[in-house]
């Protein structure tokens, strides 16, 4: 289910697309060719049929060796439905753009990383018609950056490090190094990165550490770009709450209902649905009188 940390984990690659290819080369040791140009593409993979399918982030990388589509999926926990969704995404994108798609999964969980890295094989045993092998970035391979000079040399990689490792006894050094690095880049980027990190810190103590560090540079929190990110986070949290209430109450949530809720960005409408979820006997009752 989408949450604010989910959004931050993949949106960092929209903010700095080249971070993704650097991570492939330096973290996963994948010999990805040096991009000459990277562009963001529409993440909507919906077909004419009324079935909505969206990837988290989709980038087109032009290289001397050809064009690649970088499909970034933020994953909070194991979800076996992805065994059908991810092959569909890759096949659809190859058919639409006629260039090679590359699936990258990013997670804050070691167990989820282990699950996501398992190949998805479709077809007969020993003779698979399709095999999908996700590239996974997680806490076991993203580097820990707790040195100010390292953080300042690559601030966006330091952001990814903080979002992935910002917990436990080493959190303070990581967050202090990143705070120093953010002071060396433009305020627009720093504002968004600061909010990304805040969204991803699940440990209350680490989150408070980060907010204390950011207090000295208050424009991070006043900046309109940071406010936009916060607004998107509120929408996602309300979407998540609406669906979670139904699940807590044992009300089945069909895919069509889930997709409609997740597609709504109107906080007032989401509030109405959240209130209805408390009493609804059927998930479709969320949309009564609409």
């Amino acid at each position: 289910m989408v949450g604010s940390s989910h959004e931050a984990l993949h949106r960092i690659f929209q903010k700095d697309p080249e971070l993704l290819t650097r991570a492939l080369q330096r973290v996963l040791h994948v010999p990805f060719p040096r991009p000459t140009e990277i562009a963001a593409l529409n993440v909507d993979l919906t077909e004419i049929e009324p079935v909505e399918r969206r990837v988290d982030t989709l980038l087109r990388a032009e290289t001397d060796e050809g064009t690649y589509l970088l499909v970034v999926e933020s994953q909070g926990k194991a979800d076996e439905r992805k065994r059908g969704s991810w092959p569909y995404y890759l096949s659809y994108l190859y058919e639409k753009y006629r260039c090679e798609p590359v699936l990258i999964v990013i997670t804050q969980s070691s167990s989820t990383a282990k699950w996501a890295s398992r190949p998805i094989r479709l077809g007969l045993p020993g003779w698979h018609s399709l095999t999908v092998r996700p590239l996974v970035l997680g806490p076991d391979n993203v580097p820990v950056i707790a040195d100010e000079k390292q953080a300042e040399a690559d601030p966006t990689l330091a952001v990814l490090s903080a979002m992935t490792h910002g917990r436990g006894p080493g959190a303070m050094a990581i967050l202090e190094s990143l705070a120093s690095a953010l002071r060396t880049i433009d305020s627009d980027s720093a504002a968004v990165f600061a909010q990304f990190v805040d969204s991803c810190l699940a440990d209350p103590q680490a989150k408070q550490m980060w907010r204390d560090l950011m207090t000295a540079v208050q424009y991070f929190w006043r900046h309109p770009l940071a406010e936009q990110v916060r607004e998107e986070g509120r929408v996602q949290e309300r979407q998540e709450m609406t669906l979670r209430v139904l699940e807590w109450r044992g009300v089945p949530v069909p895919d069509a209902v889930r997709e409609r809720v997740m597609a709504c960005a109107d906080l007032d409408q989401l509030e109405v649905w959240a209130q209805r979820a408390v009493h609804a006997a059927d998930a479709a009752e969320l949309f009564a009188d609409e």
Side-chain angles (χ1 to χ4, degrees):
M1 207 172 288
V2 177
S4 55
S5 62
H6 171 106
E7 187 75 6
L9 279 171
H10 69 85
R11 281 195 57 184
I12 186 176
F13 298 116
Q14 296 176 15
K15 184 64 180 170
D16 180 8
E18 291 189 3
L19 171 64
L20 188 55
T21 58
R22 294 201 306 276
L24 292 180
Q25 295 164 348
R26 293 173 54 184
V27 178
L28 299 179
H29 307 294
V30 173
F32 193 89
R34 184 178 183 278
T36 56
E37 179 185 349
I38 297 183
L41 302 180
N42 190 336
V43 300
D44 193 344
L45 307 187
T46 306
E47 299 183 75
I48 295 176
E49 297 295 326
V51 177
E52 185 178 358
R53 299 180 187 271
R54 291 177 183 270
V55 296
D56 289 333
T57 287
L58 179 61
L59 304 170
R60 184 185 66 237
E62 302 287 351
T63 77
D64 292 336
E65 299 177 22
T67 302
Y68 295 88
L69 297 176
L70 305 177
V71 185
V72 185
E73 284 282 279
S74 174
Q75 198 66 29
K77 60 183 180 180
D79 182 355
E80 289 304 315
R81 291 180 303 173
K82 295 297 185 179
R83 297 185 67 78
S85 297
W86 287 341
Y88 169 85
Y89 294 164
L90 300 180
S91 298
Y92 175 89
L93 289 168
Y94 180 77
E95 174 63 22
K96 181 175 181 178
Y97 293 101
R98 288 296 171 177
C99 50
E100 301 295 336
V102 180
L103 174 62
I104 301 102
V105 179
I106 179 166
T107 181
Q108 295 174 291
S109 163
S110 294
S111 60
T112 302
K114 183 177 180 179
W115 164 82
S117 64
R118 292 184 353 227
I120 300 171
R121 297 186 175 95
L122 305 179
L124 295 171
W127 191 275
H128 302 109
S129 301
L130 177 65
T131 301
V132 175
R133 299 177 62 88
L135 296 168
V136 182
L137 294 168
D140 295 331
N141 55 16
V142 172
V144 174
I145 298 180
D147 176 81
E148 288 187 11
K149 290 184 178 180
Q150 282 185 305
E152 291 173 7
D154 195 339
T156 47
L157 185 60
V159 172
L160 183 62
S161 174
M163 293 195 302
T164 307
H165 299 288
R167 66 181 66 186
M172 192 62 180
I174 295 170
L175 297 178
E176 284 181 335
S177 298
L178 176 59
S180 175
L182 291 186
R183 294 184 178 91
T184 69
I185 64 176
D186 67 278
S187 60
D188 286 358
S189 297
V192 175
F193 288 153
Q195 187 61 37
F196 282 173
V197 173
D198 188 78
S199 299
C200 283
L201 292 174
D203 183 338
Q205 185 175 4
K207 187 183 287 283
Q208 188 58 53
M209 285 181 194
W210 181 241
R211 292 181 174 181
D212 290 344
L213 287 168
M214 292 297 97
T215 300
V217 278
Q218 294 178 5
Y219 65 85
F220 283 173
W221 309 112
R222 295 199 308 266
H223 197 283
L225 288 178
E227 178 56 36
Q228 178 184 343
V229 173
R230 287 196 292 271
E231 178 68 15
E232 292 171 353
R234 286 192 287 268
V235 167
Q236 291 151 14
E237 287 168 1
R238 191 62 53 83
Q239 293 167 335
E240 183 179 26
M241 182 182 71
T242 300
L243 297 173
R244 189 187 297 124
V245 168
L246 291 173
E247 292 171 345
W248 279 345
R249 296 182 55 240
V251 177
V253 182
D255 287 345
V257 171
R258 185 182 305 276
E259 288 159 0
R260 183 170 175 181
V261 171
M262 297 309 301
C264 180
D266 185 330
L267 274 171
D268 292 336
Q269 180 63 77
L270 289 167
E271 176 63 29
V272 171
W273 290 348
Q275 293 176 6
R276 290 175 179 172
V278 175
H279 305 289
D282 185 283
E285 293 179 16
L286 295 185
F287 316 126
D289 304 323
E290 295 177 17

